[in-house]
Amino acid sequence: MGRTLSEKVWDDHVVRANAGEPDLLFVDLHLIHEVTSPQAFDGLRLAGRQVRRPDLTLATEDHNVPTLDWDKPIADPVSRTQVETLRKNAEEFGVRLHPLGDLDQGIVHVVGPQLGLTQPGMTIVCGDSHTSTHGAFGAIAFGIGTSEVEHVLATQTLPQAKPKTMAVTVNGSLPDGVTAKDLVLNLIAHTGTGGGQGYIVEYRGAAIEELSMEGRMTICNMSIEWGAKAGLIAPDQTTFDYIEGRPEAPKGADWDAAVAYWSSLRTDDDAEFDREIVLDASEMTPFVTWGTNPGQGVPLGASVPSPQDFEEESDKVACEKALAYMGLEAGTPMREVAVDTVFVGSCTNGRIEDLRLAAEVIRGRQVAESTRLLVVPGSVRVRLQAEEEGLDVIFKEAGAEWRGAGCSMCLGMNPDTLSPGERSASTSNRNFEGRQGKGGRTHLVSIPVAAATAVRGTLSSPADLD
Amino acid sequence: MDKFTTHTGVGVPLRRSNVDTDQIIPAVYLKRVTRTGFEDGLFAAWRDDPDFILNNPVYAPGSVLVAGPDFGTGSSREHAVWALQNYGFKAVISPRFGDIFRGNCGKAGLVAAQVDEKVVQRLWTVLEDQPGASVTVDLESRSVRAGEGENAVEDSFDIDDYTRWRLLEGLDDIGVTLGHESDIAAYEGRRPSFKPVTQHA
Ligand code: SF4
């Protein structure tokens, strides 16, 4: 029987397999940031261990860095200590670091692909659950905890039980104005937040093949939001074109050898998945969340649901709790929900294509009086590219705030947070209680919806602006 | 890591599903560079609520948390496990755990015992009828026990064999892997040369 894409990549990384034990997998690339690594380096020191492969390790600063005054010392002393600890550890253990102020600083999942370090057929891990982003290139990429970060630093491997395989086949084409973000929010509402648990998911079908690399990254990024171990997409010409010429892409004969290998990374026709989900993209519309997990979403044209709409008792209770937290009345049209802050950014939607799309909607318009729009590029290179294209001017003229690169309001660890009761439309990936600040209320949206919402002040799509 | 065989302690019924790691410990508490002191951030948003279960003195010394399905979903932050441990929890019981959280528990030595949803319901009943009652989590026999008489609960829990073995032995995972150093070196020897590196000689 044939093998699926993820089985092929998995098999190529098994260092050691023994019945009754998890496989020992080799890690091709280990990405590191300031928040989940200090205790791992401490562990190494305590045991007198070294980083086995500094040449397969890359660090950047993103979660805890300011997006204002980023060229000055970090004001919060606790944040500063954490960032400085990463710098000391990188220096002591010989790890390449792109610190604040460096051209290649930015969100770790934006930086890897941008440098060309993320390539098909790799295993990539990072102490961050959205590592699944890199699966867009046909890599097995997943988030790990700090103990595992230490394990990879010391051994360049991880013991891993082999997950089951799932295919999500998305037929048809996305209608105009409907994006990869809408697609994945749709999918999660369909499966629930635990629907992918225990699986590596391969996204396939015409709608996936038609996506740009940015769109594919948005989809794979949110694999973790429905519980999947990882999500990946078979590499194709779109993938190769994206990688070619990037600083760390293979060159010359290596490029040819790499492309030959990458081209073999497809699910065989006679391979079988443990589970399959089929969706039709042509029926999809802009999708937004109303609740406190990414599975609690509806089409933008729908209304806030009522607990009575759910069959299961636990779903009724969850709906009731979410409505209370979100300060929403059942039956309110989503389009009437007024938003205080719009956040454009994160590893889900903070790449150059996202900023271009947002600017296109914003151009010549003004941010609503009662609303603030925060635009945070995913990396310094994204910021510079956007400035070269004049996107920053479009945003600033509309009344938006143009910031430095980082995770920012995606997780509210730096000063970019919501106040209690403040409502956001956010292009990030999590609408958990308090995710963007204690008491903050988050609606997950696509880039066009975020931009249109900033202009109208209530949840909207660009079609509502005409 | 300390060995874990069995633990008996005050059970805390947390009647919530989908408790993600942002709720276990919000990001603003993740700035420390140690593995200790995170108890201050544990369930931070709920701790001001006088009705929150851990604010009840009977449950406050709890060491076995009994939670609804999908506990520990979301962010990979191992700080969530440390916060529970720093507070005093030795085991968490739930019908379903977030993958990364469960992995982190296994590495850090917190037992994540997966049981049937009905077992959680019955444990909640026992712990609410008899506040301060103990729950036993026995890793050797993979069973949970609580209560007495008619309402007594005794059932099995799931945990993968490898994690159970390491917890019972108190083994350092890295030490185990380094025992396979020659396998790692052999693998490195046959890795294709076109694979990217972050540093160039
Ligand atoms: S942008 Fe958000 S989801 Fe992405 S790495 Fe940063 S905190 Fe995590």
Side-chain angles (χ1 to χ4, degrees):
Chain A
M1 200 179 65
R3 293 179 300 161
T4 65
L5 163 62
S6 69
E7 286 166 333
K8 290 183 184 182
V9 179
W10 185 282
D11 293 348
D12 280 351
H13 290 86
V14 175
V15 167
R16 181 177 185 277
N18 204 18
E21 280 176 35
D23 288 347
L24 190 63
L25 283 192
F26 192 80
V27 172
D28 284 323
L29 178 64
H30 186 194
L31 301 168
I32 283 177
H33 62 86
E34 72 277 20
V35 178
T36 56
S37 67
Q39 297 85 354
F41 282 109
D42 273 350
L44 286 188
R45 257 189 298 268
L46 217 63
R49 290 172 178 143
Q50 291 298 313
V51 174
R52 183 182 178 91
R53 297 295 301 266
D55 63 329
L56 303 183
T57 312
L58 183 84
T60 187
E61 300 167 358
D62 56 3
H63 281 63
N64 191 9
V65 297
T67 56
L68 283 174
D69 294 330
W70 42 266
D71 45 353
K72 307 203 177 72
I74 300 176
D76 172 10
V78 194
S79 296
R80 191 167 65 227
T81 303
Q82 192 171 60
V83 170
E84 280 169 0
T85 303
L86 178 64
R87 293 177 190 173
K88 273 190 232 138
N89 285 331
E91 164 97 42
E92 180 180 338
F93 290 92
V95 171
R96 170 171 161 191
L97 167 71
H98 294 293
L100 210 54
D102 185 273
L103 259 180
D104 281 305
Q105 179 260 336
I107 305 173
V108 64
H109 311 311
V110 177
V111 169
Q114 173 181 285
L115 283 169
L117 278 170
T118 300
Q119 297 173 15
M122 291 174 71
T123 45
I124 301 177
V125 300
C126 173
D128 184 278
S129 58
H130 293 95
T131 307
S132 57
T133 311
H134 307 264
F137 292 79
I140 291 183
F142 53 89
I144 58 178
T146 299
S147 295
E148 291 173 308
V149 170
E150 184 180 336
H151 194 286
V152 178
L153 288 173
T155 70
Q156 204 57 32
T157 64
L158 263 187
Q160 287 289 310
K162 198 169 183 173
K164 291 175 285 184
T165 60
M166 191 189 319
V168 171
T169 305
V170 193
N171 297 317
S173 294
L174 283 171
D176 270 354
V178 184
T179 66
K181 181 67 164 288
D182 302 300
L183 193 165
V184 72
L185 285 173
N186 227 295
L187 168 67
I188 302 168
H190 176 84
T191 61
T193 50
Q197 221 198 8
Y199 292 94
I200 294 190
V201 179
E202 181 180 340
Y203 302 97
R204 56 211 311 245
I208 301 293
E209 286 163 26
E210 284 169 16
L211 291 173
S212 64
M213 286 316 295
E214 280 89 347
R216 295 179 189 185
M217 284 189 254
T218 302
I219 304 257
C220 289
N221 174 275
M222 292 196 68
S223 301
I224 184 72
E225 305 310 334
W226 57 295
K229 171 83 184 176
L232 77 178
I233 293 170
D236 58 11
Q237 198 58 43
T238 305
T239 321
F240 309 156
D241 290 346
Y242 183 95
I243 297 170
E244 192 168 15
R246 292 192 180 262
E248 304 295 352
K251 311 263 179 323
D254 273 349
W255 173 259
D256 298 335
V259 172
Y261 171 60
W262 299 346
S263 303
S264 73
L265 298 173
R266 309 196 71 84
T267 292
D268 296 326
D269 291 340
D270 56 343
E272 276 176 28
F273 291 93
D274 296 308
R275 203 182 149 201
E276 183 153 13
I277 293 175
V278 181
L279 297 173
D280 181 0
S282 62
E283 288 171 5
M284 292 182 185
T285 59
F287 214 81
V288 296
T289 63
W290 53 269
T292 52
N293 72 55
Q296 292 176 319
V298 289
L300 174 65
S303 299
V304 176
S306 140
Q308 266 59 57
D309 299 344
F310 297 90
E311 271 169 33
E312 300 265 335
E313 188 52 36
S314 59
D315 289 338
K316 285 186 205 289
V317 175
C319 175
E320 211 169 302
K321 278 197 171 136
L323 293 188
Y325 181 85
M326 293 295 289
L328 290 173
E329 286 275 343
T332 310
M334 292 307 298
R335 276 198 167 83
E336 285 176 16
V337 174
V339 164
D340 306 300
T341 292
V342 174
F343 172 63
V344 169
S346 87
C347 60
T348 313
N349 279 129
R351 288 171 285 268
I352 188 67
E353 185 183 278
D354 299 305
L355 299 192
R356 285 184 192 137
L357 202 54
E360 201 179 296
V361 177
I362 294 283
R363 187 194 303 271
R365 297 188 160 110
Q366 285 297 311
V367 173
E369 195 115 325
S370 55
T371 305
R372 77 171 156 147
L373 169 59
L374 206 65
V375 186
V376 183
S379 70
V380 174
R381 288 209 188 266
V382 170
R383 178 171 64 80
L384 295 178
Q385 173 75 28
E387 288 175 358
E388 205 179 295
E389 296 175 21
L391 307 183
D392 59 321
V393 178
I394 297 175
F395 290 123
K396 283 189 273 193
E397 280 180 359
E401 296 176 44
W402 177 247
R403 298 290 190 88
C407 296
S408 176
M409 199 181 269
C410 174
L411 88 165
M413 193 164 177
N414 74 358
D416 307 338
T417 56
L418 297 177
S419 324
E422 192 176 343
R423 187 180 300 281
S424 79
S426 180
T427 65
S428 57
N429 41 56
R430 285 190 175 136
N431 51 343
F432 297 158
E433 288 183 22
R435 169 79 176 179
Q436 298 190 295
K438 193 174 178 181
R441 296 161 169 167
T442 304
H443 297 271
L444 299 179
V445 300
S446 70
I447 284 281
V449 169
T453 299
V455 173
R456 270 185 86 219
T458 59
L459 292 174
S460 308
S461 73
D464 299 320
L465 299 178
D466 304 325
Chain B
M1 195 162 69
D2 295 338
K3 289 186 184 184
F4 186 110
T5 44
T6 181
H7 172 78
T8 302
V10 171
V12 179
L14 184 68
R15 274 198 186 263
R16 281 178 181 260
S17 58
N18 257 306
V19 177
D20 54 72
T21 51
D22 276 82
Q23 287 169 72
I24 300 174
I25 185 166
V28 284
Y29 292 93
L30 310 185
K31 298 180 184 180
R32 268 190 220 101
V33 295
T34 58
R35 272 183 190 250
T36 52
F38 290 102
E39 66 276 13
D40 64 344
L42 182 66
F43 301 127
W46 304 333
R47 292 286 275 280
D48 316 335
D49 174 0
D51 292 333
F52 179 59
I53 190 98
L54 286 181
N55 290 332
N56 181 334
V58 186
Y59 296 110
S63 59
V64 180
L65 188 68
V66 185
D70 294 315
F71 187 82
T73 51
S75 150
S76 65
R77 58 189 71 163
E78 195 163 318
H79 311 68
V81 175
W82 303 333
L84 287 161
Q85 289 180 313
N86 294 164
Y87 181 89
F89 285 104
K90 304 283 185 225
V92 185
I93 299 172
S94 165
R96 200 162 58 216
F97 292 99
D99 256 349
I100 307 177
F101 176 82
R102 193 183 37 208
N104 289 343
C105 283
K107 304 281 175 179
L110 179 71
V111 172
Q114 186 167 332
V115 298
D116 198 83
E117 191 153 356
K118 290 194 198 84
V119 176
V120 164
Q121 299 280 357
R122 286 166 57 212
L123 286 170
W124 281 346
T125 308
V126 168
L127 297 174
E128 284 165 359
D129 287 355
Q130 307 159 44
S134 288
V135 177
T136 297
V137 177
D138 186 336
L139 187 59
E140 227 152 23
S141 63
R142 290 188 221 230
S143 63
V144 291
R145 291 188 294 278
E148 283 158 15
E150 237 171 58
N151 284 339
V153 181
E154 172 151 16
D155 220 300
S156 61
F157 69 81
D158 281 341
I159 188 164
D160 71 90
D161 294 339
Y162 184 73
T163 303
R164 173 174 170 270
W165 168 70
R166 274 200 312 95
L167 290 170
L168 285 172
E169 302 290 327
L171 281 180
D172 164 15
D173 214 15
I174 300 177
V176 176
T177 298
L178 286 175
H180 308 307
E181 211 281 329
S182 57
D183 292 328
I184 303 174
Y187 181 91
E188 286 173 327
R190 55 177 194 265
R191 257 181 106 235
S193 62
F194 60 74
K195 294 262 183 174
V197 290
T198 59
Q199 298 184 31
H200 304 270

